Amino acid sequence: MDSLLKPLNPKKASFGRHETFALRYSWLTKGFQAFEKNQSIFSSDESTIELGVGKNMVNAIKYWLRASAMLLDTDEGLETSALGEAILSDNGWDPYLEDEATLWLIHWQLATNAELATAWYWFFNCYHKAEFTTDDAMETLAEFVRNNLNGKHSERTVKQEVAMILRMYCPSKGNAKLIEESLDSPLASLKLVTAVEDLHIYRSYGNLQSSLPIELVGYAANEIFNQRQTEYLPIADLMYGPKNGIALGSIFRLTESALLAKLENLVKAYPDIFQINETAGVNQLYRQDNTTESLTFLRSYYQPTR
């Protein structure tokens, strides 16, 4: 089955497409619903009036909708995705991002879109330093780009992506403008990155992530199964990912034991779909039913059977 995941492709990478505007709370809903009504909204002269923002912000809204896979690029042009319709439509499950699970979902979509959100993919799948400085992360990303991507990418633009990630995930306490902007940056509430005051050090540790529902773990695992077209996944692969692959545990900043606990609860909730078995001493997650659509897991969360 199809997957929204976009693993690393040396020929397809994007940096700085957000025009230096971090994702804000209202943007995805406002942009998505405007697009549903008028599919040429982002190229329309009325876009700034309709969306209530400047032209550069219009481009940023379009970018974040594409990077989070709420809108998809197709041969026929830009189209709404089934995920976007389910979450962000006027009668969607959570159009105003009131449920933290939706923030986890948006985070997952960005971190698994190596084509349009390449730095987000790198930071959450490939960069495993629990403590780091901005300069260290910038240089490591620049080195990753030099070693893994084709074509020319401005090193300055590449390095600025690290600052954008930190701005979105770790609210600033010093600059009034950044504070105002970060208050409206939804992913900061996930607390995946924290700043150590006065030391210019950031931390991004594995945690229990008690607010991450198992249904979202099921959605994510099912997407990886679909993308890799396999019947089983080593749990170590789910934790850290194959080389330059998608790493579920790392994206959600789970500890190894927390990931295993989430997967065990997933198996209890969906025993007809998933099983954990040990093969040659390796714990693996097996998918017994490859016909289940990924949205099924999200539907179970947002619309539980009463």
Side-chain angles (χ1 to χ4, degrees), residues 69-135:
M70 300 298 164
L71 295 181
L72 300 178
D73 295 293
T74 72
D75 292 340
E76 286 73 40
L78 206 57
E79 294 182 356
T80 58
S81 68
L83 177 65
E85 292 166 8
I87 298 291
L88 295 177
S89 288
D90 190 42
N91 59 348
W93 294 331
D94 188 24
Y96 300 105
L97 316 188
E98 296 169 298
D99 192 319
E100 193 160 298
T102 309
L103 304 183
W104 282 112
L105 175 63
I106 292 166
H107 164 67
W108 166 262
Q109 294 302 144
L110 292 177
T112 57
N113 192 341
E115 292 184 6
L116 287 174
T118 311
W120 278 253
Y121 157 80
W122 166 82
F123 184 82
F124 288 103
N125 291 276
C126 308
Y127 190 56
H128 299 302
K129 281 195 174 183
E131 288 193 355
F132 57 91
T133 64
T134 305
D135 287 344

Side-chain angles (χ1 to χ4, degrees), residues 116-171:
L116 287 174
T118 311
W120 278 253
Y121 157 80
W122 166 82
F123 184 82
F124 288 103
N125 291 276
C126 308
Y127 190 56
H128 299 302
K129 281 195 174 183
E131 288 193 355
F132 57 91
T133 64
T134 305
D135 287 344
D136 174 72
M138 285 180 171
E139 185 50 49
T140 309
L141 173 57
E143 184 180 0
F144 176 86
V145 170
R146 288 192 293 268
N147 293 339
N148 293 278
L149 300 180
N150 299 338
K152 293 183 178 180
H153 300 281
S154 162
E155 187 163 307
R156 182 172 176 269
T157 302
V158 167
K159 287 184 174 181
Q160 285 177 337
E161 293 289 72
V162 170
M164 177 60 74
I165 290 170
L166 296 177
R167 193 193 310 176
M168 281 175 53
Y169 284 89
C170 182

